[in-house]
Amino acid sequence: MNPLHWSYRTTFLAGFVLCAGLLGFAFYAQYVWAMIPCPLCIFQRIGFMVMGLFFLAGSIHAPRSGARWIYTAGVLLGALWGIAVAGRHLWIQSLPADEVPSCGGDLGYLMSAFPFAKVLKLVFTGSGECAKVEPILGLPMPAWTLLWFIALGIWAVLATRRRGV
């Protein structure tokens, strides 16, 4: 069966399954491969969670016509968030060693010690642990997530533009 001809409901369900699978892989990498996530990695996971929730809600509701764009907007919001975070993460990883920001506290500490707006500023300023590159199939994890954010965002738009149930 050609995925380009799937119904809206099936396409959005597949998007949810992909997001769940990507999050599952992130937890596998964390707990089995001991790849400890930095704050930017955690924020990328949040992007996949947002996308997954909107994919799931869209697949369950499966509205007709213009109402589909509400779910697609939610998916795109998560995708844009993820693209921004992954892009920043890749930029930090590309810095020469002498320009990498110093390491800060982990996300749990930051959330308990500072208001959320300050945590966002501190995380996006970057930290040393975010500069560590651990390639998977030749690419660092943020490069893979960037590709998936783009692909899933396009997937949602294509599903919404098609006619059918």
Side-chain angles (χ1 to χ4, degrees):
M1 193 155 129
N2 185 350
L4 296 176
H5 298 298
W6 288 354
S7 68
Y8 173 85
R9 176 171 275 165
T10 304
T11 304
F12 262 55
L13 184 60
F16 167 74
V17 169
L18 282 168
C19 288
L22 290 166
L23 287 168
F25 178 78
F27 287 114
Y28 179 83
Q30 178 179 349
Y31 292 110
V32 176
W33 292 349
M35 293 176 72
I36 306 302
C38 70
L40 290 175
C41 294
I42 304 263
F43 282 164
Q44 289 170 67
R45 289 180 186 184
I46 291 170
F48 283 120
M49 287 179 204
V50 168
M51 292 174 74
L53 287 173
F54 279 100
F55 271 128
L56 181 61
S59 71
I60 291 171
H61 181 214
R64 298 199 184 266
S65 67
R68 291 180 175 184
W69 286 104
I70 295 169
Y71 296 108
T72 302
V75 170
L76 291 176
L77 184 69
L80 290 173
W81 167 265
I83 288 168
V85 174
R88 176 72 177 170
H89 198 167
L90 285 170
W91 179 79
I92 290 172
Q93 288 184 342
S94 73
L95 291 174
D98 62 330
E99 292 182 27
V100 172
S102 63
C103 289
D106 69 354
L107 190 59
Y109 167 74
L110 294 175
M111 293 296 283
S112 66
F114 300 105
F116 186 68
K118 176 83 171 171
V119 170
L120 283 177
K121 182 178 180 191
L122 289 171
V123 168
F124 280 105
T125 301
S127 61
E129 69 267 15
C130 293
K132 185 178 178 186
V133 178
E134 297 185 49
I136 299 171
L137 298 175
L139 291 175
M141 185 80 83
W144 284 112
T145 61
L146 180 65
L147 292 172
W148 278 109
F149 283 123
I150 292 168
L152 288 168
I154 292 169
W155 179 261
V157 170
L158 290 176
T160 304
R161 292 186 69 206
R162 277 196 308 269
R163 302 285 181 232
V165 180

